[in-house]
Amino acid sequence: MEIITWTKSFSVGVKEMDDQHKKLIAMINRLIEEQHTLTEPETIAELLTGMTDYALEHFRAEEYLMSEYGYENQARQVKSHEEFIARTMDFMSSTEIGPNILSKALLEYLKSWLVGHILNEDMQYKAFFAHKGVS
Ligand SMILES: [Fe+2]
């Protein structure tokens, strides 16, 4: 599985959000890169928990910015963020996969969700924040 490469096309025009997206991408990339060498359940659980904790922190910051400026699609964003956390938690506790196992399905989900979310949903606020003078 290829890692995610952040390019200019990922930029939402707000530096703090771009920086947080880059960090989240780096955390998911680490899981992709080390998927075959990570065997210690505790380490996998730690990395996944660290990633979801950071995602929550990022979502909070993003939603705060949206509410500060009255972004009209905030409710949809909140729903989407909640779904990501819930789905990731489901993967982590799935008895089918087994706890603490880095499955291909989980990695594919993390990667496609984040890329799709940034490029489709977050990109929709780019013009909005630019218009408000937020960069
Ligand atoms: Fe978002």
mmCIF file of all heavy atoms in Angstrom, residues 68-117:
data_model
loop_
_atom_site.group_PDB
_atom_site.id
_atom_site.type_symbol
_atom_site.label_atom_id
_atom_site.label_comp_id
_atom_site.label_asym_id
_atom_site.label_seq_id
_atom_site.Cartn_x
_atom_site.Cartn_y
_atom_site.Cartn_z
ATOM 1 N N GLU A 68 -16.462 29.729 15.061
ATOM 2 C CA GLU A 68 -16.032 31.122 15.212
ATOM 3 C C GLU A 68 -16.484 31.990 14.040
ATOM 4 O O GLU A 68 -16.841 33.142 14.212
ATOM 5 C CB GLU A 68 -14.490 31.187 15.269
ATOM 6 C CG GLU A 68 -13.894 30.883 16.616
ATOM 7 C CD GLU A 68 -14.104 32.019 17.599
ATOM 8 O OE1 GLU A 68 -13.355 33.013 17.535
ATOM 9 O OE2 GLU A 68 -15.027 31.908 18.424
ATOM 10 N N TYR A 69 -16.439 31.408 12.840
ATOM 11 C CA TYR A 69 -16.751 32.179 11.635
ATOM 12 C C TYR A 69 -18.108 31.829 11.020
ATOM 13 O O TYR A 69 -18.464 32.370 9.975
ATOM 14 C CB TYR A 69 -15.637 32.003 10.598
ATOM 15 C CG TYR A 69 -14.359 32.693 11.021
ATOM 16 C CD1 TYR A 69 -13.396 32.017 11.771
ATOM 17 C CD2 TYR A 69 -14.138 34.032 10.695
ATOM 18 C CE1 TYR A 69 -12.236 32.663 12.190
ATOM 19 C CE2 TYR A 69 -12.985 34.676 11.103
ATOM 20 C CZ TYR A 69 -12.034 33.985 11.852
ATOM 21 O OH TYR A 69 -10.895 34.626 12.264
ATOM 22 N N GLY A 70 -18.846 30.942 11.679
ATOM 23 C CA GLY A 70 -20.184 30.605 11.195
ATOM 24 C C GLY A 70 -20.201 29.872 9.860
ATOM 25 O O GLY A 70 -20.997 30.186 8.969
ATOM 26 N N TYR A 71 -19.336 28.869 9.763
ATOM 27 C CA TYR A 71 -19.285 28.087 8.523
ATOM 28 C C TYR A 71 -20.561 27.259 8.368
ATOM 29 O O TYR A 71 -20.953 26.534 9.283
ATOM 30 C CB TYR A 71 -18.054 27.176 8.550
ATOM 31 C CG TYR A 71 -17.891 26.300 7.328
ATOM 32 C CD1 TYR A 71 -17.820 26.855 6.058
ATOM 33 C CD2 TYR A 71 -17.800 24.913 7.458
ATOM 34 C CE1 TYR A 71 -17.660 26.041 4.931
ATOM 35 C CE2 TYR A 71 -17.625 24.092 6.347
ATOM 36 C CZ TYR A 71 -17.567 24.669 5.094
ATOM 37 O OH TYR A 71 -17.416 23.874 3.981
ATOM 38 N N GLU A 72 -21.185 27.365 7.194
ATOM 39 C CA GLU A 72 -22.516 26.771 7.017
ATOM 40 C C GLU A 72 -22.544 25.239 6.988
ATOM 41 O O GLU A 72 -23.571 24.639 7.282
ATOM 42 C CB GLU A 72 -23.197 27.340 5.761
ATOM 43 C CG GLU A 72 -22.572 26.941 4.424
ATOM 44 C CD GLU A 72 -21.494 27.905 3.933
ATOM 45 O OE1 GLU A 72 -20.919 28.657 4.762
ATOM 46 O OE2 GLU A 72 -21.188 27.900 2.730
ATOM 47 N N ASN A 73 -21.435 24.604 6.647
ATOM 48 C CA ASN A 73 -21.433 23.130 6.572
ATOM 49 C C ASN A 73 -20.877 22.455 7.828
ATOM 50 O O ASN A 73 -20.483 21.292 7.782
ATOM 51 C CB ASN A 73 -20.631 22.648 5.368
ATOM 52 C CG ASN A 73 -21.299 22.991 4.050
ATOM 53 O OD1 ASN A 73 -22.529 23.078 3.987
ATOM 54 N ND2 ASN A 73 -20.514 23.227 3.023
ATOM 55 N N GLN A 74 -20.857 23.201 8.927
ATOM 56 C CA GLN A 74 -20.255 22.638 10.144
ATOM 57 C C GLN A 74 -20.935 21.347 10.607
ATOM 58 O O GLN A 74 -20.244 20.384 10.968
ATOM 59 C CB GLN A 74 -20.274 23.657 11.290
ATOM 60 C CG GLN A 74 -19.551 23.108 12.522
ATOM 61 C CD GLN A 74 -19.476 24.088 13.672
ATOM 62 O OE1 GLN A 74 -19.896 25.243 13.555
ATOM 63 N NE2 GLN A 74 -18.943 23.629 14.785
ATOM 64 N N ALA A 75 -22.260 21.314 10.587
ATOM 65 C CA ALA A 75 -22.979 20.133 11.076
ATOM 66 C C ALA A 75 -22.580 18.880 10.299
ATOM 67 O O ALA A 75 -22.376 17.815 10.881
ATOM 68 C CB ALA A 75 -24.488 20.357 10.986
ATOM 69 N N ARG A 76 -22.444 19.034 8.980
ATOM 70 C CA ARG A 76 -22.053 17.894 8.150
ATOM 71 C C ARG A 76 -20.625 17.447 8.495
ATOM 72 O O ARG A 76 -20.314 16.263 8.525
ATOM 73 C CB ARG A 76 -22.137 18.279 6.673
ATOM 74 C CG ARG A 76 -22.300 17.052 5.755
ATOM 75 C CD ARG A 76 -22.174 17.425 4.299
ATOM 76 N NE ARG A 76 -23.070 18.532 3.937
ATOM 77 C CZ ARG A 76 -22.853 19.346 2.907
ATOM 78 N NH1 ARG A 76 -21.793 19.191 2.162
ATOM 79 N NH2 ARG A 76 -23.692 20.324 2.633
ATOM 80 N N GLN A 77 -19.768 18.437 8.760
ATOM 81 C CA GLN A 77 -18.380 18.123 9.134
ATOM 82 C C GLN A 77 -18.334 17.369 10.466
ATOM 83 O O GLN A 77 -17.616 16.382 10.589
ATOM 84 C CB GLN A 77 -17.574 19.422 9.252
ATOM 85 C CG GLN A 77 -17.097 19.956 7.919
ATOM 86 C CD GLN A 77 -15.723 19.408 7.526
ATOM 87 O OE1 GLN A 77 -15.065 18.697 8.287
ATOM 88 N NE2 GLN A 77 -15.286 19.741 6.327
ATOM 89 N N VAL A 78 -19.098 17.858 11.438
ATOM 90 C CA VAL A 78 -19.117 17.217 12.761
ATOM 91 C C VAL A 78 -19.555 15.757 12.617
ATOM 92 O O VAL A 78 -18.947 14.851 13.197
ATOM 93 C CB VAL A 78 -20.055 17.981 13.739
ATOM 94 C CG1 VAL A 78 -20.271 17.199 15.031
ATOM 95 C CG2 VAL A 78 -19.490 19.362 14.061
ATOM 96 N N LYS A 79 -20.581 15.528 11.805
ATOM 97 C CA LYS A 79 -21.100 14.188 11.581
ATOM 98 C C LYS A 79 -20.024 13.303 10.946
ATOM 99 O O LYS A 79 -19.814 12.162 11.352
ATOM 100 C CB LYS A 79 -22.337 14.256 10.673
ATOM 101 C CG LYS A 79 -23.194 13.036 10.731
ATOM 102 C CD LYS A 79 -24.568 13.295 10.113
ATOM 103 C CE LYS A 79 -25.338 11.988 9.982
ATOM 104 N NZ LYS A 79 -25.231 11.389 8.651
ATOM 105 N N SER A 80 -19.359 13.846 9.974
ATOM 106 C CA SER A 80 -18.317 13.115 9.275
ATOM 107 C C SER A 80 -17.150 12.769 10.216
ATOM 108 O O SER A 80 -16.631 11.646 10.211
ATOM 109 C CB SER A 80 -17.834 13.974 8.101
ATOM 110 O OG SER A 80 -16.850 13.318 7.386
ATOM 111 N N HIS A 81 -16.750 13.730 11.047
ATOM 112 C CA HIS A 81 -15.681 13.506 12.028
ATOM 113 C C HIS A 81 -16.078 12.406 13.016
ATOM 114 O O HIS A 81 -15.282 11.533 13.348
ATOM 115 C CB HIS A 81 -15.378 14.797 12.797
ATOM 116 C CG HIS A 81 -14.782 15.882 11.946
ATOM 117 N ND1 HIS A 81 -14.780 17.208 12.319
ATOM 118 C CD2 HIS A 81 -14.161 15.828 10.742
ATOM 119 C CE1 HIS A 81 -14.196 17.931 11.370
ATOM 120 N NE2 HIS A 81 -13.802 17.115 10.403
ATOM 121 N N GLU A 82 -17.332 12.475 13.475
ATOM 122 C CA GLU A 82 -17.822 11.477 14.443
ATOM 123 C C GLU A 82 -17.828 10.075 13.830
ATOM 124 O O GLU A 82 -17.482 9.101 14.497
ATOM 125 C CB GLU A 82 -19.240 11.847 14.912
ATOM 126 C CG GLU A 82 -19.251 12.929 15.967
ATOM 127 C CD GLU A 82 -20.652 13.457 16.283
ATOM 128 O OE1 GLU A 82 -21.629 13.027 15.622
ATOM 129 O OE2 GLU A 82 -20.760 14.306 17.175
ATOM 130 N N GLU A 83 -18.226 10.017 12.557
ATOM 131 C CA GLU A 83 -18.265 8.728 11.874
ATOM 132 C C GLU A 83 -16.870 8.111 11.775
ATOM 133 O O GLU A 83 -16.699 6.905 11.940
ATOM 134 C CB GLU A 83 -18.843 8.894 10.460
ATOM 135 C CG GLU A 83 -20.354 8.760 10.431
ATOM 136 C CD GLU A 83 -20.965 9.221 9.107
ATOM 137 O OE1 GLU A 83 -20.210 9.352 8.113
ATOM 138 O OE2 GLU A 83 -22.172 9.466 9.086
ATOM 139 N N PHE A 84 -15.896 8.971 11.482
ATOM 140 C CA PHE A 84 -14.520 8.488 11.368
ATOM 141 C C PHE A 84 -14.039 7.881 12.684
ATOM 142 O O PHE A 84 -13.471 6.783 12.713
ATOM 143 C CB PHE A 84 -13.578 9.634 10.948
ATOM 144 C CG PHE A 84 -12.121 9.250 10.963
ATOM 145 C CD1 PHE A 84 -11.591 8.443 9.960
ATOM 146 C CD2 PHE A 84 -11.279 9.683 11.978
ATOM 147 C CE1 PHE A 84 -10.246 8.084 9.967
ATOM 148 C CE2 PHE A 84 -9.936 9.321 11.991
ATOM 149 C CZ PHE A 84 -9.417 8.526 10.983
ATOM 150 N N ILE A 85 -14.262 8.591 13.769
ATOM 151 C CA ILE A 85 -13.825 8.093 15.076
ATOM 152 C C ILE A 85 -14.563 6.794 15.427
ATOM 153 O O ILE A 85 -13.949 5.802 15.842
ATOM 154 C CB ILE A 85 -14.047 9.168 16.182
ATOM 155 C CG1 ILE A 85 -13.158 10.406 15.923
ATOM 156 C CG2 ILE A 85 -13.770 8.586 17.576
ATOM 157 C CD1 ILE A 85 -11.652 10.156 15.966
ATOM 158 N N ALA A 86 -15.876 6.779 15.216
ATOM 159 C CA ALA A 86 -16.673 5.598 15.550
ATOM 160 C C ALA A 86 -16.239 4.382 14.730
ATOM 161 O O ALA A 86 -16.063 3.282 15.264
ATOM 162 C CB ALA A 86 -18.154 5.890 15.323
ATOM 163 N N ARG A 87 -16.032 4.596 13.454
ATOM 164 C CA ARG A 87 -15.637 3.495 12.565
ATOM 165 C C ARG A 87 -14.252 2.969 12.923
ATOM 166 O O ARG A 87 -14.015 1.761 12.945
ATOM 167 C CB ARG A 87 -15.676 4.019 11.120
ATOM 168 C CG ARG A 87 -15.459 3.019 10.041
ATOM 169 C CD ARG A 87 -16.720 2.260 9.686
ATOM 170 N NE ARG A 87 -16.403 1.013 8.980
ATOM 171 C CZ ARG A 87 -16.143 0.940 7.668
ATOM 172 N NH1 ARG A 87 -16.216 2.019 6.927
ATOM 173 N NH2 ARG A 87 -15.840 -0.226 7.108
ATOM 174 N N THR A 88 -13.343 3.893 13.243
ATOM 175 C CA THR A 88 -11.988 3.478 13.632
ATOM 176 C C THR A 88 -12.023 2.677 14.929
ATOM 177 O O THR A 88 -11.357 1.655 15.070
ATOM 178 C CB THR A 88 -11.069 4.715 13.777
ATOM 179 O OG1 THR A 88 -11.115 5.449 12.564
ATOM 180 C CG2 THR A 88 -9.628 4.306 14.041
ATOM 181 N N MET A 89 -12.833 3.148 15.888
ATOM 182 C CA MET A 89 -12.992 2.431 17.158
ATOM 183 C C MET A 89 -13.561 1.029 16.905
ATOM 184 O O MET A 89 -13.144 0.063 17.530
ATOM 185 C CB MET A 89 -13.950 3.189 18.096
ATOM 186 C CG MET A 89 -13.451 4.548 18.516
ATOM 187 S SD MET A 89 -11.964 4.446 19.538
ATOM 188 C CE MET A 89 -11.945 6.083 20.240
ATOM 189 N N ASP A 90 -14.535 0.949 15.971
ATOM 190 C CA ASP A 90 -15.131 -0.343 15.620
ATOM 191 C C ASP A 90 -14.072 -1.303 15.118
ATOM 192 O O ASP A 90 -14.011 -2.461 15.520
ATOM 193 C CB ASP A 90 -16.171 -0.174 14.495
ATOM 194 C CG ASP A 90 -17.521 0.236 15.038
ATOM 195 O OD1 ASP A 90 -17.676 0.235 16.270
ATOM 196 O OD2 ASP A 90 -18.401 0.560 14.233
ATOM 197 N N PHE A 91 -13.227 -0.800 14.228
ATOM 198 C CA PHE A 91 -12.141 -1.614 13.689
ATOM 199 C C PHE A 91 -11.238 -2.107 14.816
ATOM 200 O O PHE A 91 -10.839 -3.265 14.854
ATOM 201 C CB PHE A 91 -11.283 -0.791 12.716
ATOM 202 C CG PHE A 91 -11.701 -0.914 11.282
ATOM 203 C CD1 PHE A 91 -12.217 0.175 10.594
ATOM 204 C CD2 PHE A 91 -11.534 -2.114 10.591
ATOM 205 C CE1 PHE A 91 -12.584 0.072 9.254
ATOM 206 C CE2 PHE A 91 -11.889 -2.223 9.255
ATOM 207 C CZ PHE A 91 -12.418 -1.130 8.578
ATOM 208 N N MET A 92 -10.916 -1.173 15.726
ATOM 209 C CA MET A 92 -9.991 -1.508 16.799
ATOM 210 C C MET A 92 -10.551 -2.541 17.755
ATOM 211 O O MET A 92 -9.808 -3.299 18.370
ATOM 212 C CB MET A 92 -9.583 -0.245 17.569
ATOM 213 C CG MET A 92 -8.630 0.644 16.785
ATOM 214 S SD MET A 92 -8.410 2.261 17.549
ATOM 215 C CE MET A 92 -7.473 1.826 19.015
ATOM 216 N N SER A 93 -11.872 -2.569 17.898
ATOM 217 C CA SER A 93 -12.452 -3.511 18.863
ATOM 218 C C SER A 93 -13.129 -4.699 18.181
ATOM 219 O O SER A 93 -13.730 -5.541 18.841
ATOM 220 C CB SER A 93 -13.453 -2.775 19.757
ATOM 221 O OG SER A 93 -14.475 -2.235 18.957
ATOM 222 N N SER A 94 -13.012 -4.741 16.845
ATOM 223 C CA SER A 94 -13.671 -5.806 16.111
ATOM 224 C C SER A 94 -13.146 -7.182 16.493
ATOM 225 O O SER A 94 -11.957 -7.453 16.456
ATOM 226 C CB SER A 94 -13.468 -5.586 14.609
ATOM 227 O OG SER A 94 -13.799 -6.755 13.910
ATOM 228 N N THR A 95 -14.068 -8.059 16.846
ATOM 229 C CA THR A 95 -13.655 -9.402 17.239
ATOM 230 C C THR A 95 -13.281 -10.225 16.001
ATOM 231 O O THR A 95 -12.500 -11.161 16.080
ATOM 232 C CB THR A 95 -14.791 -10.133 17.986
ATOM 233 O OG1 THR A 95 -15.995 -9.958 17.259
ATOM 234 C CG2 THR A 95 -14.952 -9.594 19.386
ATOM 235 N N GLU A 96 -13.855 -9.820 14.873
ATOM 236 C CA GLU A 96 -13.561 -10.512 13.626
ATOM 237 C C GLU A 96 -12.070 -10.385 13.274
ATOM 238 O O GLU A 96 -11.422 -11.335 12.887
ATOM 239 C CB GLU A 96 -14.383 -9.870 12.511
ATOM 240 C CG GLU A 96 -14.871 -10.824 11.444
ATOM 241 C CD GLU A 96 -15.765 -10.097 10.467
ATOM 242 O OE1 GLU A 96 -16.908 -9.768 10.844
ATOM 243 O OE2 GLU A 96 -15.292 -9.832 9.369
ATOM 244 N N ILE A 97 -11.591 -9.145 13.403
ATOM 245 C CA ILE A 97 -10.184 -8.890 13.093
ATOM 246 C C ILE A 97 -9.307 -9.263 14.287
ATOM 247 O O ILE A 97 -8.190 -9.720 14.132
ATOM 248 C CB ILE A 97 -9.978 -7.391 12.747
ATOM 249 C CG1 ILE A 97 -10.831 -7.021 11.526
ATOM 250 C CG2 ILE A 97 -8.515 -7.076 12.483
ATOM 251 C CD1 ILE A 97 -10.949 -5.531 11.307
ATOM 252 N N GLY A 98 -9.862 -9.100 15.444
ATOM 253 C CA GLY A 98 -9.092 -9.333 16.656
ATOM 254 C C GLY A 98 -8.539 -8.008 17.126
ATOM 255 O O GLY A 98 -8.187 -7.167 16.302
ATOM 256 N N PRO A 99 -8.483 -7.797 18.419
ATOM 257 C CA PRO A 99 -8.008 -6.515 18.911
ATOM 258 C C PRO A 99 -6.529 -6.313 18.585
ATOM 259 O O PRO A 99 -5.759 -7.275 18.522
ATOM 260 C CB PRO A 99 -8.231 -6.594 20.426
ATOM 261 C CG PRO A 99 -8.289 -8.053 20.718
ATOM 262 C CD PRO A 99 -8.763 -8.735 19.484
ATOM 263 N N ASN A 100 -6.177 -5.097 18.351
ATOM 264 C CA ASN A 100 -4.765 -4.716 18.180
ATOM 265 C C ASN A 100 -4.079 -5.294 16.953
ATOM 266 O O ASN A 100 -2.862 -5.385 16.895
ATOM 267 C CB ASN A 100 -3.949 -5.081 19.422
ATOM 268 C CG ASN A 100 -4.589 -4.559 20.679
ATOM 269 O OD1 ASN A 100 -5.220 -3.509 20.669
ATOM 270 N ND2 ASN A 100 -4.461 -5.292 21.751
ATOM 271 N N ILE A 101 -4.864 -5.697 15.986
ATOM 272 C CA ILE A 101 -4.228 -6.182 14.770
ATOM 273 C C ILE A 101 -4.418 -5.154 13.672
ATOM 274 O O ILE A 101 -5.511 -4.631 13.463
ATOM 275 C CB ILE A 101 -4.794 -7.564 14.345
ATOM 276 C CG1 ILE A 101 -4.313 -8.615 15.357
ATOM 277 C CG2 ILE A 101 -4.326 -7.930 12.929
ATOM 278 C CD1 ILE A 101 -4.823 -9.995 15.090
ATOM 279 N N LEU A 102 -3.312 -4.831 13.023
ATOM 280 C CA LEU A 102 -3.327 -3.825 11.985
ATOM 281 C C LEU A 102 -3.785 -4.469 10.680
ATOM 282 O O LEU A 102 -2.992 -5.041 9.948
ATOM 283 C CB LEU A 102 -1.898 -3.285 11.845
ATOM 284 C CG LEU A 102 -1.687 -1.808 11.555
ATOM 285 C CD1 LEU A 102 -2.608 -0.929 12.364
ATOM 286 C CD2 LEU A 102 -0.244 -1.462 11.794
ATOM 287 N N SER A 103 -5.077 -4.413 10.424
ATOM 288 C CA SER A 103 -5.581 -5.072 9.224
ATOM 289 C C SER A 103 -5.473 -4.165 8.002
ATOM 290 O O SER A 103 -5.441 -2.942 8.115
ATOM 291 C CB SER A 103 -7.041 -5.475 9.419
ATOM 292 O OG SER A 103 -7.855 -4.329 9.383
ATOM 293 N N LYS A 104 -5.433 -4.802 6.844
ATOM 294 C CA LYS A 104 -5.370 -4.073 5.585
ATOM 295 C C LYS A 104 -6.639 -3.235 5.426
ATOM 296 O O LYS A 104 -6.601 -2.104 4.951
ATOM 297 C CB LYS A 104 -5.243 -5.089 4.442
ATOM 298 C CG LYS A 104 -4.840 -4.481 3.135
ATOM 299 C CD LYS A 104 -4.321 -5.569 2.187
ATOM 300 C CE LYS A 104 -4.035 -4.992 0.804
ATOM 301 N NZ LYS A 104 -5.195 -5.090 -0.098
ATOM 302 N N ALA A 105 -7.762 -3.806 5.853
ATOM 303 C CA ALA A 105 -9.043 -3.089 5.742
ATOM 304 C C ALA A 105 -9.028 -1.802 6.559
ATOM 305 O O ALA A 105 -9.511 -0.765 6.115
ATOM 306 C CB ALA A 105 -10.180 -3.998 6.201
ATOM 307 N N LEU A 106 -8.440 -1.875 7.751
ATOM 308 C CA LEU A 106 -8.359 -0.685 8.601
ATOM 309 C C LEU A 106 -7.467 0.372 7.949
ATOM 310 O O LEU A 106 -7.842 1.537 7.846
ATOM 311 C CB LEU A 106 -7.825 -1.041 9.993
ATOM 312 C CG LEU A 106 -7.397 0.125 10.898
ATOM 313 C CD1 LEU A 106 -8.558 1.085 11.157
ATOM 314 C CD2 LEU A 106 -6.857 -0.375 12.234
ATOM 315 N N LEU A 107 -6.289 -0.053 7.491
ATOM 316 C CA LEU A 107 -5.360 0.897 6.871
ATOM 317 C C LEU A 107 -5.969 1.532 5.627
ATOM 318 O O LEU A 107 -5.838 2.735 5.400
ATOM 319 C CB LEU A 107 -4.043 0.205 6.512
ATOM 320 C CG LEU A 107 -3.205 -0.250 7.705
ATOM 321 C CD1 LEU A 107 -2.009 -1.057 7.237
ATOM 322 C CD2 LEU A 107 -2.744 0.947 8.538
ATOM 323 N N GLU A 108 -6.668 0.721 4.839
ATOM 324 C CA GLU A 108 -7.316 1.247 3.637
ATOM 325 C C GLU A 108 -8.403 2.256 4.010
ATOM 326 O O GLU A 108 -8.554 3.276 3.350
ATOM 327 C CB GLU A 108 -7.918 0.099 2.811
ATOM 328 C CG GLU A 108 -7.034 -0.250 1.641
ATOM 329 C CD GLU A 108 -7.292 -1.652 1.091
ATOM 330 O OE1 GLU A 108 -8.350 -2.244 1.404
ATOM 331 O OE2 GLU A 108 -6.427 -2.129 0.355
ATOM 332 N N TYR A 109 -9.124 1.939 5.076
ATOM 333 C CA TYR A 109 -10.171 2.859 5.518
ATOM 334 C C TYR A 109 -9.572 4.186 5.979
ATOM 335 O O TYR A 109 -10.017 5.258 5.566
ATOM 336 C CB TYR A 109 -11.013 2.237 6.643
ATOM 337 C CG TYR A 109 -11.982 3.234 7.233
ATOM 338 C CD1 TYR A 109 -13.100 3.641 6.505
ATOM 339 C CD2 TYR A 109 -11.753 3.809 8.482
ATOM 340 C CE1 TYR A 109 -13.969 4.604 7.014
ATOM 341 C CE2 TYR A 109 -12.618 4.771 8.991
ATOM 342 C CZ TYR A 109 -13.710 5.162 8.263
ATOM 343 O OH TYR A 109 -14.559 6.123 8.759
ATOM 344 N N LEU A 110 -8.537 4.122 6.829
ATOM 345 C CA LEU A 110 -7.913 5.343 7.357
ATOM 346 C C LEU A 110 -7.409 6.224 6.229
ATOM 347 O O LEU A 110 -7.638 7.430 6.198
ATOM 348 C CB LEU A 110 -6.744 4.993 8.296
ATOM 349 C CG LEU A 110 -7.065 4.214 9.573
ATOM 350 C CD1 LEU A 110 -5.775 3.908 10.331
ATOM 351 C CD2 LEU A 110 -8.046 4.979 10.455
ATOM 352 N N LYS A 111 -6.724 5.575 5.293
ATOM 353 C CA LYS A 111 -6.141 6.302 4.168
ATOM 354 C C LYS A 111 -7.220 6.930 3.279
ATOM 355 O O LYS A 111 -7.181 8.119 2.988
ATOM 356 C CB LYS A 111 -5.260 5.341 3.355
ATOM 357 C CG LYS A 111 -4.610 5.970 2.156
ATOM 358 C CD LYS A 111 -3.758 4.953 1.399
ATOM 359 C CE LYS A 111 -3.294 5.509 0.066
ATOM 360 N NZ LYS A 111 -2.414 4.584 -0.658
ATOM 361 N N SER A 112 -8.184 6.132 2.858
ATOM 362 C CA SER A 112 -9.184 6.662 1.926
ATOM 363 C C SER A 112 -10.095 7.686 2.596
ATOM 364 O O SER A 112 -10.490 8.668 1.982
ATOM 365 C CB SER A 112 -9.988 5.541 1.278
ATOM 366 O OG SER A 112 -10.789 4.917 2.241
ATOM 367 N N TRP A 113 -10.390 7.472 3.885
ATOM 368 C CA TRP A 113 -11.238 8.455 4.552
ATOM 369 C C TRP A 113 -10.520 9.800 4.636
ATOM 370 O O TRP A 113 -11.084 10.831 4.265
ATOM 371 C CB TRP A 113 -11.654 8.008 5.970
ATOM 372 C CG TRP A 113 -12.649 8.986 6.563
ATOM 373 C CD1 TRP A 113 -14.004 8.945 6.430
ATOM 374 C CD2 TRP A 113 -12.356 10.178 7.316
ATOM 375 N NE1 TRP A 113 -14.578 10.039 7.055
ATOM 376 C CE2 TRP A 113 -13.590 10.812 7.602
ATOM 377 C CE3 TRP A 113 -11.175 10.772 7.775
ATOM 378 C CZ2 TRP A 113 -13.680 12.006 8.322
ATOM 379 C CZ3 TRP A 113 -11.256 11.964 8.486
ATOM 380 C CH2 TRP A 113 -12.497 12.572 8.759
ATOM 381 N N LEU A 114 -9.284 9.793 5.120
ATOM 382 C CA LEU A 114 -8.580 11.060 5.322
ATOM 383 C C LEU A 114 -8.362 11.805 4.006
ATOM 384 O O LEU A 114 -8.652 12.998 3.912
ATOM 385 C CB LEU A 114 -7.240 10.839 6.043
ATOM 386 C CG LEU A 114 -6.518 12.128 6.433
ATOM 387 C CD1 LEU A 114 -7.362 12.987 7.378
ATOM 388 C CD2 LEU A 114 -5.158 11.846 7.055
ATOM 389 N N VAL A 115 -7.905 11.093 2.998
ATOM 390 C CA VAL A 115 -7.666 11.725 1.700
ATOM 391 C C VAL A 115 -8.981 12.279 1.131
ATOM 392 O O VAL A 115 -9.068 13.437 0.728
ATOM 393 C CB VAL A 115 -7.010 10.733 0.703
ATOM 394 C CG1 VAL A 115 -6.973 11.315 -0.700
ATOM 395 C CG2 VAL A 115 -5.599 10.374 1.160
ATOM 396 N N GLY A 116 -10.025 11.455 1.159
ATOM 397 C CA GLY A 116 -11.322 11.880 0.642
ATOM 398 C C GLY A 116 -11.894 13.053 1.424
ATOM 399 O O GLY A 116 -12.443 13.996 0.854
ATOM 400 N N HIS A 117 -11.715 13.005 2.753
ATOM 401 C CA HIS A 117 -12.263 14.070 3.600
ATOM 402 C C HIS A 117 -11.571 15.409 3.331
ATOM 403 O O HIS A 117 -12.230 16.438 3.197
ATOM 404 C CB HIS A 117 -12.138 13.677 5.073
ATOM 405 C CG HIS A 117 -12.728 14.683 6.010
ATOM 406 N ND1 HIS A 117 -14.093 14.876 6.140
ATOM 407 C CD2 HIS A 117 -12.149 15.597 6.834
ATOM 408 C CE1 HIS A 117 -14.315 15.846 7.019
ATOM 409 N NE2 HIS A 117 -13.147 16.308 7.452
#
